[in-house]
Amino acid sequence: MINKKSVKDIDVSSKRVLVRCDFNVPLDKETGEITSDKRIVESLKTICYLRDHNAKIVLCSHIGKTGKNISLAPVAKRLSELLNQEVRLLKDIDSEETKNVVYHLAEKEIVLLENTRMTEAEEANDMEFAKKLASFGEIFVNDAFGTAHRAHASTEGVTHFLPSVCGFLIEKEIEALDHGINNPKRPLVAIIGGAKVSSKIGVLTNLLDKVDTLLIGGAMTYTFVKAQGGKIGNSLCEEDKVDVAAEILKKALEKGVRMLLPVDNVVAKEISNDTETKICGVDEIPDGYMGLDIGPKTIELYKGEIEVAGTVVWNGPVGVFEYQNFEKGTREIAKAMADSNAVTIIGGGDSAAAVEKFGLEDRMSHVSTGGGASLEFMEGKKLPGIEALQDK
Ligand code: ADP
Ligand code: MG
C-alpha cells in the first residue's frame, strides 16, 4: 500500500493546483506529431478529478532532454482535444503575462507551463527555480511516475514550498508494483532479460530476496553461461561482470530461489532479418554466432513456470524483439503471461514497448508507464519524487 496522501485526501476546491505530469511523449522526427499519447491519456484521471472538484489547474512536465528545448505545444493541443476544453500553453514562465494568467485562473480552467527542461535549473533541482514553479500553485500534485526516480525541481524541489500529494497514476503504479513484489500471490516468478547484467544487478539482487523462481533471458544470459564455463561464441558478454554473475548464481542457491537459465537459443552471425538463423544449446554456440533469442525448449520451459505462477513480474525482453527473426521468445512469453491467471506486471521501457507491439497490453494486470522508475522500484530503491510527498 502507498502511505502517501493523494488528491482525494485534500480539499482542492477553488485552489490553484500545480500538477507535475509525465508528458514526455515520443514525437515524430519529421512531422513533430505525437506518436503515442499513452502518457497523456494516463494523466487524465487526475486532471479530470481536479476539474470535477473545481480546482484551478496548472500543469507542468518536461519533454525530451535538457538543451533540446522541445516545446510542449503538441501536448497542449492533444490535451485540449482529450479534455474537450482549451488548455493554454504558457510559453515563458518568467513573464508577467504568465503570472497574470495563472493568478486569475477561473475554477476548472487548465493551463500548461512550457517544458521544465528549457533550463538546466530543472535537473539541477535548483531551489530558486523550484520556488518559482511552486509560486504558480497553492497545492502540488505529483503524478509523473516516469520521473519519480529523479530529484528535479519540478518533482522534488517544489515539495519544499507547497503541501504535496500524489495523483492517481502514481498511486496506481506504486500499488501494482508494491503488491507484485512485496506482497505477491505466490509463487512469484520474475523474468529478467534485456541487454546487460550491469544494468540489472540491482534488480537481480533485490529480487533474490523476494521471488520463488527467477527466469533469465536476453543478452545477460551469456554472462551467466560464461560464468558456468559454457561456450558463447560472439554473444554479448560483460567480461567484468562474470564474477558478479557467478555470485548471483551462488546466492540463488543459498536462498533457495529456483534460478533458471535458457537451455537453448536462436543464434545468427548478425542482427538482421535476412540472416540465416540456427537453434543450439545455450552453452555450445559456434564461433562467429551470437545468441539473440531464447529457443523452443526454453519457451516451453518458461511457459510451464508462468502457468503455475501466482504473480509474474517481467523486466527486459528475452531476445532482440525489434527484429522479426528474434522476436518469437519475447512474443511467446508475453502471450503466456496474457493467457495466465496470474497477476502480471511489466516494468521497463523496452519490455512495455514489446507488450504494446504485440497488442497484449490490455491483457496484463499492469504495464508500467515509467521504464527507469519501475526498474528503480524493483531494485528496492526509494523514489525521491514520491518520498517527498506528505504521509497519510
Ligand atoms: P527494459 O527497457 O525493458 O528494462 P533493457 O533496456 O534492459 O530492457 O533491454 C532491452 C534491449 O535488450 C532490447 O533492445 C533488446 O534488443 C536487447 N536484447 C535482448 N536480448 C538480446 C540479445 N540476446 N542480444 C542482444 N541484445 C538483446
Ligand atoms: Mg531499456
Side-chain angles (χ1 to χ4, degrees):
M1 275 296 285
I2 180 162
N3 60 346
K4 296 295 177 183
K5 279 191 187 163
S6 87
V7 279
K8 278 198 166 157
D9 298 313
I10 50 163
D11 181 14
V12 298
S13 173
S14 67
K15 300 246 171 65
R16 270 182 290 119
V17 182
L18 177 70
V19 191
R20 176 47 156 108
C21 297
D22 178 8
F23 293 145
N24 185 27
V25 293
L27 301 175
D28 186 285
K29 279 197 189 79
E30 266 139 48
T31 65
E33 300 270 327
I34 296 169
T35 54
S36 163
D37 66 359
K38 181 176 153 72
R39 287 177 158 170
I40 304 177
V41 171
E42 292 278 354
S43 74
L44 295 177
K45 199 173 165 198
T46 297
I47 298 171
C48 290
Y49 176 90
L50 292 170
R51 183 171 64 177
D52 289 346
H53 289 78
N54 303 319
K56 304 165 180 175
I57 305 164
V58 183
L59 306 173
C60 68
S61 173
H62 83 279
I63 182 166
K65 295 203 163 103
T66 302
K68 294 264 182 216
N69 298 333
I70 299 169
S71 173
L72 279 170
V75 173
K77 183 167 163 259
R78 186 76 191 111
L79 267 173
S80 305
E81 290 161 5
L82 290 165
L83 290 162
N84 226 338
Q85 167 181 346
E86 198 205 342
V87 175
R88 183 165 163 197
L89 179 70
L90 301 176
K91 289 207 172 118
D92 179 6
I93 75 159
D94 292 313
S95 72
E96 280 304 310
E97 197 204 344
T98 293
K99 260 192 216 160
N100 248 323
V101 171
V102 171
Y103 290 163
H104 294 102
L105 278 176
E107 290 179 5
K108 297 181 192 286
E109 224 180 310
I110 307 173
V111 291
L112 172 62
L113 301 178
E114 185 54 286
N115 184 2
T116 51
R117 286 196 191 165
M118 288 288 187
T119 159
E120 285 173 8
E122 162 72 339
E123 292 196 70
N125 197 7
D126 177 274
M127 283 301 141
E128 280 306 309
F129 181 57
K131 196 169 162 184
K132 196 185 296 167
L133 286 173
S135 73
F136 295 120
E138 295 164 88
I139 295 171
F140 175 61
V141 174
N142 189 1
D143 209 20
F145 181 72
T147 36
H149 59 312
R150 302 281 180 245
H152 292 166
S154 68
T155 61
E156 199 273 342
V158 285
T159 67
H160 295 272
F161 304 99
L162 291 175
S164 304
V165 301
C166 69
F168 295 119
L169 177 59
I170 282 200
E171 197 174 51
K172 180 174 93 172
E173 289 274 3
I174 295 295
E175 285 193 346
L177 294 169
D178 184 53
H179 193 262
I181 292 167
N182 298 319
N183 189 18
K185 195 168 149 225
R186 291 194 182 269
L188 170 56
V189 176
I191 307 163
I192 306 294
K196 289 180 171 172
V197 175
S198 53
S199 63
K200 300 286 160 85
I201 293 170
V203 182
L204 290 166
T205 311
N206 188 43
L207 290 183
L208 280 179
D209 285 323
K210 318 257 181 196
V211 302
D212 301 294
T213 306
L214 185 56
L215 309 177
I216 298 293
M220 76 160 83
T221 302
Y222 305 100
T223 307
F224 285 104
V225 174
K226 185 84 182 259
Q228 292 181 325
K231 228 178 129 253
I232 61 167
N234 276 6
S235 308
L236 276 185
C237 175
E238 291 165 276
E239 296 291 344
D240 60 334
K241 291 292 176 291
V242 173
D243 290 349
V244 178
E247 189 61 29
I248 290 171
L249 287 163
K250 195 173 134 224
K251 271 197 198 143
L253 259 183
E254 285 166 8
K255 290 178 191 280
V257 171
R258 294 175 58 237
M259 179 166 170
L260 307 187
L261 296 179
V263 289
D264 61 347
N265 57 180
V266 179
V267 300
K269 283 186 178 157
E270 54 179 32
I271 302 178
S272 140
N273 282 333
D274 305 323
T275 192
E276 186 201 337
T277 63
K278 299 203 276 192
I279 310 282
C280 70
V282 86
D283 55 357
E284 47 188 29
I285 302 175
D287 290 340
Y289 283 82
M290 298 178 264
L292 296 168
D293 193 9
I294 56 174
K297 283 188 192 143
T298 308
I299 291 176
E300 285 314 307
L301 180 70
Y302 285 8
K303 267 180 158 175
E305 299 294 333
I306 292 167
E307 253 164 50
V308 300
T311 305
V312 185
V313 173
W314 182 21
N315 174 276
V318 296
V320 187
F321 75 98
E322 296 92 338
Y323 290 78
Q324 212 184 327
N325 258 353
F326 315 109
E327 65 152 41
K328 190 167 181 216
T330 303
R331 183 190 286 274
E332 292 295 322
I333 294 291
K335 263 204 216 153
M337 285 177 69
D339 289 339
S340 87
N341 294 322
V343 175
T344 48
I345 295 168
I346 287 97
D350 292 291
S351 316
V355 170
E356 209 173 319
K357 176 181 170 187
F358 303 139
L360 294 170
E361 234 185 334
D362 294 343
R363 294 179 58 205
M364 304 296 182
S365 310
H366 184 72
V367 182
S368 179
T369 57
S374 62
L375 188 67
E376 292 204 10
F377 187 92
M378 288 185 190
E379 290 174 349
K381 287 190 187 154
K382 303 254 186 240
L383 308 180
I386 295 174
E387 282 307 298
L389 305 176
Q390 289 183 344
D391 289 327
K392 265 195 177 137

